[in-house]
Amino acid sequence: MPTTKLTNFDNCVSFFIENGAYQGRLIRLHEVINTILGKHCYPLPIAAAVAECSVLGTLLSSQLKYDGLFTLQIQTNGVINLIVVDVTSEGKIRSCARYDENRLKHSQELRKTSGQIEATPHLLGGGHLAFTVDQGKDTELYQGIVDLQGKNLTECALRYFKQSEQIDTTLKLFLQPPQGESKSWFAAGILLQKMPNISTSLSEKEQSEIWNEAKIFIESLSENEVFDSSLSSETLLHRLFHGNNLQISKTKNYTFGCRCSREKLLSTLQTFSQEEINSIIENNQITADCNFCNEHYIFSAGELQKQ
Ligand SMILES: [Zn+2]
């Protein structure tokens, strides 16, 4: 069922406060998340983890200047062993997860949480969160990586900023599964960072007071507000930071988009050995589904002959 497009969603609003000393992003996703999850039949906790990672990936990608592909990847030895989120510089998002159905059932029975949403790391186990920025041929691959630690995904991401980037960062993620009248998912995130090397006339003490106050403002943003489709992101930000010389700098829109194609898949299959081909060929055909968009591809044995 297609989701109704909501005006105030599927975008990222960039802003500054305190004369550019702090930079922030507010992302609210609706149609994108529902399109992604509509491509799969994930059980509730898996869908929640994918939605949460998608908004985190989008938030992290929005912090970077790049022309190409941003990928957030979580790999673990847990129930969900892989989550991948791709965000292109044009604002196309796709994501998927790989998980063990039996282990999921078992873990929910043990924890008595069947049908409930838990903080994502419970299903992830030990592993890491990594992201890469691929800007095409002849460019260096940018990569960040952090162990999965902390009681939720927000804490994992904050550890990355603290350890690797050493930038003061605060972050809050929001998630709302389908409930009541609303048959759709909502996901959102807000992030604020101290800009490095900004000259200011403020004392250390004043700066730290402003930062602590800004963190409290971000914490005060409620789920009801962030998922209220009648409120624009500008209104929400104004409510939080009207006393902090708020400047809205730009808005970027997001849509679902998969980059799979027959040609790409065919060239991958053509790298397979004859033995591998023989193991997947059936009735002289090879079928393959895209993990991201579920597109079903069929190739004849003849097509796989290398040119
Ligand atoms: Zn696809």
Side-chain angles (χ1 to χ4, degrees), residues 25 47 60 72 162 223 239 260:
R25 305 274 190 267
L60 295 179
L72 177 142
K162 199 169 176 200
E223 224 174 79
R239 282 186 182 178
C260 70

Side-chain angles (χ1 to χ4, degrees), residues 74-76 120-122 124-129 145-160 163:
I74 290 181
Q75 270 183 303
T76 86
T120 304
H122 288 308
L124 291 174
H128 63 261
L129 180 158
I145 189 160
V146 68
D147 285 341
L148 281 174
Q149 275 181 39
K151 65 176 191 295
N152 53 38
L153 208 54
T154 306
E155 283 191 5
C156 299
L158 286 177
R159 278 186 70 246
Y160 169 75
Q163 284 177 0

Side-chain angles (χ1 to χ4, degrees), residues 94 258 260 290 292-293 295:
R94 64 177 194 175
C258 193
C260 70
C290 172
F292 290 98
C293 69
E295 180 73 41

